[in-house]
Amino acid sequence: LGYEVNEFEPSFKQWMSLIHPDDRTKIIETQEKFLNNEIAEYDSEFRVRKKNGEYIWILNRGYRLEKDEEGNWEKIVGVFSDIDNHKKSQYTHYENEARLNLALEVAKQGLWDWDLLNGQYYHNPTYYRLLGYELNEVELDFEFWQKSIHPDDCNQAIELETQVITGKIKEYSLEYRMLTKQGEYKWFLSTTKALFSLENGQAKRIMGVIMDINERKLAEQTIQQSEE
């Protein structure tokens, strides 16, 4: 924390004075549970003020060590670790993700990410909203995507997706219709790209975006009908 050894007298009051005001209530509640034997040990992340006035993030772990003759805990020990760089990197990541999601929402674009090795999927909130769902209301996986595509568009979409997965192509763009929660089909422009490949050429992770182009497609159909 920037102090010399024995520069101040260690005490609970002194310790609490160093903790960021927004974190004190959480720390007190955790330590009360610990002292009342509600939890056997604890891990807490909070900010502590250094000698120069700067706050840094630390990870604090507390453990019970010794009991007296009556079985009451009389000594507890703890360690704390400097995690400031990690927390700041984490916040930067969240800020960047928030900016990206906002940009995609304004542009009406849904982002998805498929880890083929672990079978894990990620879809940003806009993806759900474009299909009329609340966040995590449905499980958006390959089967759901396949069933949602209009029957007239399904074969081509699945064929292109399969080619990306097997490494025959690296990316594709395709316009197709998807069924929304409200039971109507909407037009989307889908772009898919393989990010990483295995030694055999197969993709191990693919990402893509879908963009709402329904108004444009309906306008094109109206013009075509008018011309006919």
Side-chain angles (χ1 to χ4, degrees):
L1 298 178
Y3 294 95
E4 298 295 332
V5 177
N6 300 323
E7 189 171 344
F8 62 82
E9 182 67 26
S11 66
F12 182 76
K13 183 178 180 180
Q14 173 69 27
W15 172 238
M16 291 304 298
S17 71
L18 298 177
I19 297 176
H20 194 286
D22 294 342
D23 300 334
R24 289 174 189 167
T25 300
K26 177 182 67 175
I27 299 306
I28 292 175
E29 291 175 351
T30 300
Q31 292 198 344
E32 285 181 349
K33 290 180 180 180
F34 180 68
L35 295 173
N36 292 331
N37 295 325
E38 296 179 30
I39 53 177
E41 57 186 59
Y42 68 87
D43 290 350
S44 296
E45 296 181 359
F46 53 88
R47 291 157 290 183
V48 178
R49 188 179 68 251
K50 298 174 63 175
K51 183 179 180 179
N52 63 6
E54 174 192 2
Y55 281 97
I56 64 169
W57 280 94
I58 67 166
L59 170 62
N60 185 34
R61 291 188 169 97
Y63 309 87
R64 297 187 180 92
L65 189 64
E66 295 181 5
K67 291 182 179 180
D68 59 21
E69 296 179 354
E70 298 179 354
N72 298 314
W73 293 102
E74 63 177 8
K75 182 179 288 188
I76 59 176
V77 297
V79 294
F80 70 80
S81 307
D82 183 347
I83 59 170
D84 196 57
N85 289 335
H86 168 70
K87 291 294 287 188
K88 288 177 179 176
S89 298
Q90 194 176 51
Y91 279 128
T92 300
H93 170 73
Y94 290 150
E95 288 174 356
N96 291 337
E97 185 176 11
R99 293 190 187 103
L100 174 61
N101 282 330
L102 178 59
L104 291 171
E105 184 174 357
V106 171
K108 294 184 178 181
Q109 293 187 359
L111 172 71
W112 59 270
D113 184 353
W114 184 9
D115 186 335
L116 294 162
L117 294 182
N118 300 319
Q120 295 179 339
Y121 295 87
Y122 167 78
H123 294 78
N124 72 334
T126 306
Y127 195 107
Y128 286 89
R129 283 195 285 271
L130 288 175
L131 296 179
Y133 295 98
E134 297 294 330
L135 182 63
N136 297 324
E137 184 178 350
V138 292
E139 184 177 357
L140 298 179
D141 54 16
F142 183 81
E143 183 179 0
F144 181 91
W145 172 76
Q146 182 177 348
K147 290 181 178 179
S148 298
I149 299 176
H150 192 285
D152 294 343
D153 307 328
C154 191
N155 289 340
Q156 186 180 11
I158 293 176
E159 174 63 23
L160 289 171
E161 193 82 358
T162 302
Q163 289 186 34
V164 170
I165 294 173
T166 57
K168 293 180 179 179
I169 59 175
K170 293 298 182 182
E171 60 184 280
Y172 74 87
S173 292
L174 180 67
E175 296 180 357
Y176 55 76
R177 290 157 288 184
M178 291 184 69
L179 185 65
T180 67
K181 180 182 178 180
Q182 292 71 29
E184 62 179 1
Y185 282 98
K186 290 177 61 176
W187 280 97
F188 294 96
L189 171 61
S190 174
T191 301
T192 297
K193 185 173 184 178
L195 293 186
F196 305 102
S197 300
L198 301 173
E199 292 182 358
N200 61 6
Q202 289 193 334
K204 65 178 182 179
R205 182 180 176 188
I206 57 178
M207 291 183 65
V209 292
I210 60 170
M211 182 176 7
D212 184 349
I213 59 170
N214 198 57
E215 291 184 5
R216 175 174 68 81
K217 292 295 288 187
L218 294 179
E220 289 177 355
Q221 292 175 0
T222 300
I223 294 173
Q224 183 178 359
Q225 291 172 1
S226 177
E227 290 176 346
E228 291 174 353

